[in-house]
Amino acid sequence: MRTIQLLAVILLVGFTTSCTREVLVQDTYIEASALNTRQVLESYDLWYVDITATQGNGSVPFLDRAFTVTFDRGVLMANNNLVGIGKTGGGLGIDVGNYATLRGIVEIAHDVDGSWLLEVFAVNGNTIELYSAATDTSYFLKGYQRAAFDYDGLFLDNIHYFLQEYDAWEKVYTSQEGAFTEFDEENYLQFLSGEQGDFFRSSVDGPGLGPGEIIWDYEGDYGVFNIPGDPGLKTLTLDYDYMGEDYFELYVINDQTIELYHPESGTVYEFRGRGFVQYLKSASPDPGKKRSREKLPEMNVERKRPVKE
């Protein structure tokens, strides 16, 4: 972690008549002035929080939750949900607090997590490091303008969190094609994260129930996997004792609908999300939710679902 601050600074800020500002920085501690620090933070529309690059065992909770953050004229914006990403707040997310800049420092007043002082270091022309001396932890953020940001790629890379953004998933369709399996009887799924890792629940209750009315019959572990050589495909495992080491191909239809294709039986299931959970609103049931710093594991399988004509 940071034990010595780099005092030299090279900042070249170019102002144009457009709303875009180019800021060139070298690997250095940004300490020339509060104004320069603010210009660096506001030079990009949004900053992607590369959670897997984080250094240190501590935590800055609002950075652990956020996929992106934006420093917008004193207002801190964040994309904490995948539902609606790219559209919520014009692509910047929701208002989560305020900030002010000092010499090489940004002072955050977060709506949920309170006050934080973060040192700002320039890694290169579009990457900064935010270092918390209080927790001895560094976060690395990469800057993008909205028009160049890959929202779809971010969604796909973090799809396992998307599953947790609804209180329940209700099965609304089962294909006629495919052999019968015991999973045909399941009508609801719920994806959760706990101290011991991710787990799911399922229920055979009848259709049309609200999330609070469902009686969960089964609980087990689940996992989402990358497929080497097929970046557009994810697989989902549900640890049912009676299904063994089985898996589904996972497809997203829209912000509220997923499809699970069961390769062994050839059956397609469609589930629709019920009870959207928006993180960091005052009524959020889980304000402490954060992302894992580990990348998704890999599963060595080939795509089995037939290509639609």
mmCIF file of all heavy atoms in Angstrom, residues 282-301:
data_model
loop_
_atom_site.group_PDB
_atom_site.id
_atom_site.type_symbol
_atom_site.label_atom_id
_atom_site.label_comp_id
_atom_site.label_asym_id
_atom_site.label_seq_id
_atom_site.Cartn_x
_atom_site.Cartn_y
_atom_site.Cartn_z
ATOM 1 N N SER A 282 -32.500 4.756 0.314
ATOM 2 C CA SER A 282 -32.652 4.754 1.764
ATOM 3 C C SER A 282 -33.345 3.507 2.269
ATOM 4 O O SER A 282 -33.124 3.070 3.389
ATOM 5 C CB SER A 282 -33.431 5.996 2.210
ATOM 6 O OG SER A 282 -34.710 6.033 1.592
ATOM 7 N N ALA A 283 -34.203 2.917 1.425
ATOM 8 C CA ALA A 283 -34.943 1.729 1.853
ATOM 9 C C ALA A 283 -34.260 0.437 1.413
ATOM 10 O O ALA A 283 -34.837 -0.629 1.485
ATOM 11 C CB ALA A 283 -36.352 1.765 1.286
ATOM 12 N N SER A 284 -33.021 0.528 0.946
ATOM 13 C CA SER A 284 -32.327 -0.664 0.466
ATOM 14 C C SER A 284 -32.222 -1.702 1.573
ATOM 15 O O SER A 284 -31.770 -1.407 2.674
ATOM 16 C CB SER A 284 -30.918 -0.300 -0.018
ATOM 17 O OG SER A 284 -30.181 -1.468 -0.314
ATOM 18 N N PRO A 285 -32.641 -2.952 1.303
ATOM 19 C CA PRO A 285 -32.573 -3.983 2.334
ATOM 20 C C PRO A 285 -31.163 -4.473 2.590
ATOM 21 O O PRO A 285 -30.906 -5.121 3.578
ATOM 22 C CB PRO A 285 -33.451 -5.102 1.766
ATOM 23 C CG PRO A 285 -33.346 -4.930 0.291
ATOM 24 C CD PRO A 285 -33.259 -3.443 0.064
ATOM 25 N N ASP A 286 -30.236 -4.182 1.686
ATOM 26 C CA ASP A 286 -28.882 -4.708 1.826
ATOM 27 C C ASP A 286 -27.871 -3.645 1.431
ATOM 28 O O ASP A 286 -27.183 -3.765 0.430
ATOM 29 C CB ASP A 286 -28.710 -5.951 0.955
ATOM 30 C CG ASP A 286 -27.359 -6.639 1.192
ATOM 31 O OD1 ASP A 286 -26.674 -6.261 2.155
ATOM 32 O OD2 ASP A 286 -27.011 -7.531 0.409
ATOM 33 N N PRO A 287 -27.770 -2.549 2.202
ATOM 34 C CA PRO A 287 -26.848 -1.486 1.829
ATOM 35 C C PRO A 287 -25.395 -1.919 1.886
ATOM 36 O O PRO A 287 -24.527 -1.253 1.341
ATOM 37 C CB PRO A 287 -27.143 -0.386 2.858
ATOM 38 C CG PRO A 287 -27.664 -1.120 4.040
ATOM 39 C CD PRO A 287 -28.449 -2.269 3.474
ATOM 40 N N GLY A 288 -25.091 -3.033 2.576
ATOM 41 C CA GLY A 288 -23.713 -3.482 2.696
ATOM 42 C C GLY A 288 -23.257 -4.394 1.580
ATOM 43 O O GLY A 288 -22.141 -4.891 1.605
ATOM 44 N N LYS A 289 -24.081 -4.622 0.578
ATOM 45 C CA LYS A 289 -23.720 -5.519 -0.514
ATOM 46 C C LYS A 289 -22.475 -5.021 -1.229
ATOM 47 O O LYS A 289 -22.325 -3.838 -1.472
ATOM 48 C CB LYS A 289 -24.869 -5.619 -1.508
ATOM 49 C CG LYS A 289 -24.594 -6.584 -2.655
ATOM 50 C CD LYS A 289 -25.786 -6.657 -3.572
ATOM 51 C CE LYS A 289 -25.498 -7.567 -4.742
ATOM 52 N NZ LYS A 289 -25.140 -8.913 -4.302
ATOM 53 N N LYS A 290 -21.562 -5.928 -1.557
ATOM 54 C CA LYS A 290 -20.373 -5.534 -2.295
ATOM 55 C C LYS A 290 -19.989 -6.621 -3.272
ATOM 56 O O LYS A 290 -20.446 -7.765 -3.183
ATOM 57 C CB LYS A 290 -19.222 -5.250 -1.341
ATOM 58 C CG LYS A 290 -18.758 -6.446 -0.511
ATOM 59 C CD LYS A 290 -17.629 -6.051 0.416
ATOM 60 C CE LYS A 290 -17.116 -7.251 1.210
ATOM 61 N NZ LYS A 290 -15.986 -6.870 2.098
ATOM 62 N N ARG A 291 -19.117 -6.238 -4.219
ATOM 63 C CA ARG A 291 -18.685 -7.173 -5.242
ATOM 64 C C ARG A 291 -17.453 -7.954 -4.790
ATOM 65 O O ARG A 291 -16.631 -7.459 -4.024
ATOM 66 C CB ARG A 291 -18.356 -6.421 -6.533
ATOM 67 C CG ARG A 291 -19.559 -5.813 -7.203
ATOM 68 C CD ARG A 291 -19.185 -5.295 -8.576
ATOM 69 N NE ARG A 291 -18.339 -4.114 -8.506
ATOM 70 C CZ ARG A 291 -17.452 -3.782 -9.429
ATOM 71 N NH1 ARG A 291 -17.257 -4.567 -10.473
ATOM 72 N NH2 ARG A 291 -16.745 -2.674 -9.328
ATOM 73 N N SER A 292 -17.326 -9.153 -5.314
ATOM 74 C CA SER A 292 -16.151 -9.967 -5.054
ATOM 75 C C SER A 292 -14.976 -9.450 -5.869
ATOM 76 O O SER A 292 -15.135 -8.944 -6.977
ATOM 77 C CB SER A 292 -16.428 -11.427 -5.428
ATOM 78 O OG SER A 292 -15.228 -12.177 -5.426
ATOM 79 N N ARG A 293 -13.790 -9.586 -5.332
ATOM 80 C CA ARG A 293 -12.585 -9.173 -6.055
ATOM 81 C C ARG A 293 -12.002 -10.305 -6.901
ATOM 82 O O ARG A 293 -10.922 -10.173 -7.459
ATOM 83 C CB ARG A 293 -11.550 -8.645 -5.063
ATOM 84 C CG ARG A 293 -12.037 -7.420 -4.302
ATOM 85 C CD ARG A 293 -11.041 -6.926 -3.283
ATOM 86 N NE ARG A 293 -11.606 -5.838 -2.492
ATOM 87 C CZ ARG A 293 -10.980 -5.257 -1.478
ATOM 88 N NH1 ARG A 293 -9.771 -5.662 -1.127
ATOM 89 N NH2 ARG A 293 -11.563 -4.280 -0.817
ATOM 90 N N GLU A 294 -12.715 -11.400 -6.981
ATOM 91 C CA GLU A 294 -12.272 -12.539 -7.770
ATOM 92 C C GLU A 294 -13.019 -12.588 -9.091
ATOM 93 O O GLU A 294 -14.197 -12.258 -9.169
ATOM 94 C CB GLU A 294 -12.499 -13.850 -7.007
ATOM 95 C CG GLU A 294 -11.833 -13.903 -5.647
ATOM 96 C CD GLU A 294 -10.331 -13.835 -5.731
ATOM 97 O OE1 GLU A 294 -9.769 -14.371 -6.717
ATOM 98 O OE2 GLU A 294 -9.707 -13.240 -4.828
ATOM 99 N N LYS A 295 -12.333 -13.018 -10.143
ATOM 100 C CA LYS A 295 -12.973 -13.191 -11.435
ATOM 101 C C LYS A 295 -13.820 -14.466 -11.433
ATOM 102 O O LYS A 295 -13.614 -15.369 -10.619
ATOM 103 C CB LYS A 295 -11.919 -13.270 -12.545
ATOM 104 C CG LYS A 295 -11.142 -11.978 -12.745
ATOM 105 C CD LYS A 295 -10.164 -12.092 -13.901
ATOM 106 C CE LYS A 295 -9.420 -10.779 -14.108
ATOM 107 N NZ LYS A 295 -8.442 -10.874 -15.238
ATOM 108 N N LEU A 296 -14.769 -14.534 -12.359
ATOM 109 C CA LEU A 296 -15.602 -15.729 -12.457
ATOM 110 C C LEU A 296 -14.750 -16.940 -12.816
ATOM 111 O O LEU A 296 -13.811 -16.834 -13.610
ATOM 112 C CB LEU A 296 -16.678 -15.539 -13.529
ATOM 113 C CG LEU A 296 -17.834 -14.596 -13.213
ATOM 114 C CD1 LEU A 296 -18.769 -14.518 -14.412
ATOM 115 C CD2 LEU A 296 -18.595 -15.041 -11.982
ATOM 116 N N PRO A 297 -15.076 -18.099 -12.257
ATOM 117 C CA PRO A 297 -14.366 -19.321 -12.657
ATOM 118 C C PRO A 297 -14.763 -19.728 -14.069
ATOM 119 O O PRO A 297 -15.725 -19.196 -14.641
ATOM 120 C CB PRO A 297 -14.847 -20.351 -11.626
ATOM 121 C CG PRO A 297 -16.195 -19.855 -11.203
ATOM 122 C CD PRO A 297 -16.108 -18.350 -11.238
ATOM 123 N N GLU A 298 -14.023 -20.665 -14.633
ATOM 124 C CA GLU A 298 -14.288 -21.128 -15.990
ATOM 125 C C GLU A 298 -14.846 -22.543 -15.983
ATOM 126 O O GLU A 298 -14.533 -23.351 -15.105
ATOM 127 C CB GLU A 298 -13.012 -21.081 -16.839
ATOM 128 C CG GLU A 298 -12.496 -19.676 -17.079
ATOM 129 C CD GLU A 298 -11.287 -19.650 -18.017
ATOM 130 O OE1 GLU A 298 -10.666 -20.718 -18.211
ATOM 131 O OE2 GLU A 298 -10.976 -18.566 -18.551
ATOM 132 N N MET A 299 -15.681 -22.841 -16.979
ATOM 133 C CA MET A 299 -16.213 -24.177 -17.190
ATOM 134 C C MET A 299 -15.888 -24.583 -18.630
ATOM 135 O O MET A 299 -16.204 -23.846 -19.566
ATOM 136 C CB MET A 299 -17.727 -24.212 -16.957
ATOM 137 C CG MET A 299 -18.355 -25.579 -17.208
ATOM 138 S SD MET A 299 -20.179 -25.582 -17.009
ATOM 139 C CE MET A 299 -20.317 -25.408 -15.228
ATOM 140 N N ASN A 300 -15.255 -25.702 -18.798
ATOM 141 C CA ASN A 300 -14.837 -26.150 -20.126
ATOM 142 C C ASN A 300 -15.941 -26.984 -20.779
ATOM 143 O O ASN A 300 -15.935 -28.217 -20.737
ATOM 144 C CB ASN A 300 -13.537 -26.954 -20.040
ATOM 145 C CG ASN A 300 -12.351 -26.086 -19.701
ATOM 146 O OD1 ASN A 300 -12.095 -25.090 -20.375
ATOM 147 N ND2 ASN A 300 -11.626 -26.432 -18.650
ATOM 148 N N VAL A 301 -16.904 -26.280 -21.360
ATOM 149 C CA VAL A 301 -17.992 -26.917 -22.101
ATOM 150 C C VAL A 301 -18.182 -26.154 -23.399
ATOM 151 O O VAL A 301 -17.639 -25.066 -23.592
ATOM 152 C CB VAL A 301 -19.315 -26.920 -21.287
ATOM 153 C CG1 VAL A 301 -19.181 -27.766 -20.030
ATOM 154 C CG2 VAL A 301 -19.747 -25.505 -20.951
#
